[in-house]
Amino acid sequence: MAKRPNKKQKRPLAAGVVRPAKPVRRRPGKDLQLAPRTVRRTAPVVGLLAPLLIIGLLALATNPDYQAPCTILAVLVLMAAVVGLMMIHSSGWVVWPAVVLGLVLLVIPTTALRAQLISHRGVDTRVVITSAHSGKDKTGKVSWTCGIRREDGHPLPHGTIGGFGCSGSSVGSTTTVLADPDGWAPPANLDDDLSFRGAGVWVTGAAAVLWAALTFGTARRALRGRGRRKGAA
């Protein structure tokens, strides 16, 4: 019985005819790189404007009234900055330092700036503890948050404190706190280590500088690699 011809078998070419070369398939990630002109315009936005905008939003978040929306906006700005950095150069190694520096820029500024603000502008204020609420973290540690008002009966903006001196048995007692006369930052307990928290401002500045260095270094590397490929071609 004769064998059926294989439909997938390629027919031989005529004499002198050269088979065309197959197109080279490129990885999708390599096609995400921007044009050199776009890289030069994107790098300052990602490297300078993004961290300044994040820190500015978190500076507004020192007021508890604006903390939630400003923090959400800061997260969105960081996500956009990471995407922009990946578009400048799609190499995977860029992601990890960008994520670490981004987390530092998100976590530290609000606490550090709030500590600096209350330590420089806060005044000793006698208050009465009006309520106490307890909560447990994942490790089972109990923490207390106390509501406070001025001893003279006037309300205190963002009138809550925590830490030493705040417990279920402290309701009705009086204590002294550092209060912002303008009511922007929440009061702080006198036992809080504000100098240690305020040192986070330097950490925030260092993280912003490293972010800028990472962005411009990545852009320079992308432009250099594009130039080498053009030279080789």
Side-chain angles (χ1 to χ4, degrees):
M1 184 176 180
K3 295 182 178 180
R4 295 181 180 180
N6 188 359
K7 295 182 179 180
K8 296 183 178 180
Q9 186 177 1
K10 297 181 180 178
R11 296 180 180 180
L13 298 176
V17 178
V18 180
R19 190 181 300 276
K22 294 182 179 180
V24 179
R25 294 182 179 181
R26 297 182 178 180
R27 296 180 180 179
K30 297 298 182 181
D31 296 332
L32 295 177
Q33 293 183 356
L34 303 177
R37 184 178 181 181
T38 309
V39 170
R40 296 187 184 95
R41 291 181 176 179
T42 305
V45 176
V46 175
L48 297 178
L49 183 59
L52 290 177
L53 188 56
I54 291 172
I55 294 173
L57 287 170
L58 295 179
L60 292 176
T62 54
N63 187 327
D65 294 336
Y66 308 114
Q67 185 170 358
C70 288
T71 302
I72 293 173
L73 289 176
V75 172
L76 295 177
V77 172
L78 176 62
M79 292 173 61
V82 172
V83 171
L85 189 59
M86 291 299 299
M87 292 178 66
I88 292 174
H89 197 282
S90 57
S91 177
W93 70 269
V94 179
V95 177
W96 302 111
V99 170
V100 172
L101 292 174
L103 290 176
V104 173
L105 289 174
L106 285 178
V107 173
I108 295 180
T110 299
T111 303
L113 293 172
R114 186 178 289 171
Q116 286 282 1
L117 181 63
I118 199 66
S119 63
H120 286 84
R121 298 178 54 183
V123 295
D124 292 351
T125 305
R126 295 290 295 176
V127 297
V128 178
I129 298 178
T130 57
S131 61
H133 305 280
S134 63
K136 290 184 179 181
D137 57 14
K138 295 180 180 180
T139 61
K141 183 181 179 181
V142 178
S143 59
W144 288 87
T145 302
C146 291
I148 57 176
R149 61 171 174 79
R150 297 180 185 272
E151 195 175 29
D152 56 10
H154 290 84
L156 190 65
H158 316 301
T160 58
I161 59 170
F164 183 78
C166 175
S167 64
S169 60
S170 59
V171 176
S173 61
T174 59
T175 186
T176 302
V177 299
L178 280 176
D180 182 7
D182 295 333
W184 179 271
N189 199 312
L190 294 180
D191 296 321
D192 291 343
D193 192 354
L194 298 178
S195 60
F196 176 77
R197 295 182 184 179
V201 173
W202 299 101
V203 178
T204 301
V209 171
L210 290 176
W211 176 275
L214 175 66
T215 303
F216 287 107
T218 301
R220 188 179 297 108
R221 182 175 179 178
L223 294 173
R224 189 181 304 169
R226 187 67 60 85
R228 288 177 181 176
R229 285 193 295 271
K230 286 185 178 181

